[in-house]
Amino acid sequence: MLAKTPPMGWNSWNTFGPNISEQLILETCDAMVEKGYRDAGYEYIVIDDCWCLRERNAEGFIVPDPEKFPHGMKYVADYIHSKGMKFGMYSAAGIMTCAGYPGSYGHEYQDAQMFADWGVDYLKYDLCHFPGSADCKNAYMTMSMALKATGRDILFAGCSVGEHEPATWMKSVGAHMYRSTGDITDEFESFRWISETQLKKLCMSGPGCFNDMDMLVVGMHGKGNVAKEEVCSENDYKIHFALWCLFGVPLMIGGDVRNMDEDCHALLTNKELIAINQDPENRPPYWDERQRYASQFRMGMAKFLDNGELILAYFNHAEYPLDVLLYFDDIGVPYSSGYGLELTDILTGENVGVKFDFYNPRLEGRTCRLFKAKFVKR
């Protein structure tokens, strides 16, 4: 079964956009191995848009750009496989990709077999330049069936950028993940907004098909293809990564892993956070909507793991300090139960003791805290 847990890997788009090459991809693959990303669970190296020529050849095939990829895509795939990683590529359901290169509309079975022959393990399938007379659901169904017809296991990443309510049908057409939002940018407001819009949709994400909240921008620091004037702080990136891990969505690194700063490298390879993301049951976090809307900037959540552990998570999205609220009665541990929760900070290792009834820590502006919670009898 593909996608038993949220897929993890690296994608070229956020940092490099159209500026991709064979050398970049091979160097990235080497860095993923040498710097411990592969061992942390990141297994896919995905080439996004702009990898081919502007027109198909006489036989109708998409042609890799010979200047960017002089040895062709099978050479790249073989190299990535030799390093113990998997190879991903990009196409679109429309006439053209988002950047104006050939899309797969009307060529689904031809393109799927071409990808399989190259050794592709993952296909990101975008939605741009789609004919108004065509049916979006059927287009994704067709590519899904085309990939299956090749006989090769290829993870199908449907990327309809939230159009046509993908949460309600992507799993049924065979996709292993689906983009539920527009594109992320390297700014706090972007990933804050994305995370909040998906809270009520996380129940439609789980083993076999995951809600994709777009690629990570951790470690970009205002550089790259989706950069903005605002430069995120390390605390901003902690909130971003913690939310994606807590929500159990795909973790696709978008930064330059060859030159990632030490703090962001440590964050992206944090075993405790990744274990939350890769939990076999992939239950969405529980949150009390009444508390959420008491202040639009703060949120306390709880997540139940397969091993019986409980994670408590606190987020302050405001620019100023706030007490973040989480009443234990709301997560099924009232004082009358006779139990409290012993809390250990996942990021720092600090044990804050046994708490009863509630734990409402005061968080500085734009920060988060996550705790492992252990039941303790009073």
Side-chain angles (χ1 to χ4, degrees):
M1 175 184 175
L2 291 175
K4 290 182 180 179
T5 58
M8 298 173 61
W10 175 89
N11 180 289
S12 62
W13 185 255
N14 280 1
T15 293
F16 300 101
N19 301 314
I20 52 176
S21 68
E22 177 180 292
Q23 180 179 355
L24 168 66
I25 301 305
L26 301 191
E27 288 178 358
T28 296
C29 180
D30 289 342
M32 293 287 282
V33 174
E34 294 165 5
K35 296 179 182 292
Y37 292 98
R38 180 192 64 184
D39 293 342
Y42 299 93
E43 60 178 340
Y44 292 100
I45 302 285
V46 181
I47 299 172
D48 211 282
D49 205 348
C50 309
W51 57 267
C52 62
L53 296 180
R54 291 283 182 177
E55 295 183 2
R56 292 174 178 268
N57 66 15
E59 289 75 38
F61 287 98
I62 303 175
V63 180
D65 187 327
E67 292 187 6
K68 293 180 177 179
F69 298 94
H71 295 95
M73 291 306 184
K74 190 173 189 311
Y75 173 87
V76 176
D78 289 346
Y79 186 89
I80 289 172
H81 292 153
S82 76
K83 298 293 183 175
M85 300 197 72
K86 296 180 180 179
F87 178 46
M89 291 204 68
Y90 169 98
S91 188
I95 302 295
M96 295 186 292
T97 69
C98 297
Y101 293 84
S104 289
Y105 184 79
H107 295 265
E108 291 88 354
Y109 280 77
Q110 181 181 22
D111 290 355
Q113 189 60 57
M114 176 186 69
F115 291 138
D117 291 343
W118 286 346
V120 169
D121 305 296
Y122 175 117
L123 179 66
K124 176 181 174 181
Y125 205 51
D126 220 332
L127 184 65
C128 285
H129 300 286
F130 194 69
S133 60
D135 180 85
C136 178
K137 295 179 185 178
N138 183 259
Y140 278 87
M141 172 74 85
T142 301
M143 178 53 84
S144 176
M145 296 301 104
L147 293 173
K148 289 173 173 55
T150 69
R152 182 176 179 82
D153 285 338
I154 299 176
L155 189 147
F156 186 32
C159 185
S160 68
V161 292
E163 294 188 26
H164 305 284
E165 298 291 334
T168 65
W169 55 270
M170 274 287 191
K171 185 173 184 177
S172 66
V173 303
H176 300 100
M177 50 192 275
Y178 59 88
R179 269 284 296 284
S180 54
T181 73
D183 292 346
I184 197 170
T185 53
D186 183 22
E187 57 184 335
F188 180 80
E189 182 59 24
S190 176
F191 49 78
R192 183 204 65 80
W193 179 83
I194 287 174
S195 66
E196 292 190 5
T197 63
Q198 296 310 298
L199 279 167
K200 293 184 178 180
K201 297 180 180 179
L202 295 177
C203 60
M204 294 183 278
S205 176
C209 187
F210 294 93
N211 182 335
D212 176 12
M213 296 185 353
D214 207 1
M215 299 163 287
L216 299 164
V217 295
V218 174
M220 291 186 61
H221 295 298
K223 300 178 181 178
N225 188 49
V226 299
K228 294 293 183 179
E229 290 185 7
E230 174 194 8
V231 177
C232 290
S233 68
E234 298 295 342
N235 280 333
D236 291 341
Y237 286 143
K238 285 180 182 178
I239 289 175
H240 175 26
F241 191 63
L243 283 168
W244 265 235
C245 287
L246 190 71
F247 286 9
V249 299
L251 301 178
M252 301 299 292
I253 298 171
D256 186 352
V257 294
R258 302 171 304 169
N259 303 298
M260 189 72 65
D261 68 87
E262 286 303 317
D263 286 339
C264 287
H265 171 264
L267 179 63
L268 288 168
T269 56
N270 184 291
K271 293 181 180 179
E272 298 277 6
L273 291 175
I274 291 174
I276 295 171
N277 176 266
Q278 295 289 295
D279 186 68
E281 289 189 357
N282 198 262
R283 295 181 183 274
Y286 174 81
W287 55 287
D288 185 343
E289 190 170 356
R290 295 168 300 174
Q291 295 296 335
R292 165 67 185 89
Y293 290 105
S295 168
Q296 66 181 44
F297 299 115
R298 65 187 178 190
M299 182 177 296
M301 290 182 278
K303 183 180 178 76
F304 299 94
L305 303 183
D306 177 65
N307 61 6
E309 291 182 346
L310 177 65
I311 303 297
L312 303 188
Y314 299 81
F315 296 89
N316 177 11
H317 294 160
E319 301 286 347
Y320 45 84
L322 281 174
D323 294 328
V324 183
L325 312 178
L326 186 59
Y327 305 136
F328 292 174
D329 187 79
D330 290 332
I331 58 173
V333 192
Y335 188 84
S336 60
S337 69
Y339 285 90
L341 297 175
E342 182 178 8
L343 305 180
T344 302
D345 192 303
I346 288 173
L347 292 173
T348 68
E350 176 191 4
N351 187 303
V352 300
V354 180
K355 305 297 179 181
F356 297 92
D357 266 344
F358 65 91
Y359 183 55
N360 300 339
R362 189 166 186 81
L363 269 60
E364 295 299 317
R366 280 167 51 165
T367 57
C368 66
R369 296 191 74 180
L370 288 86
F371 298 90
K372 277 190 175 180
K374 179 182 178 181
F375 281 96
V376 176
K377 193 169 182 63
R378 188 173 65 246

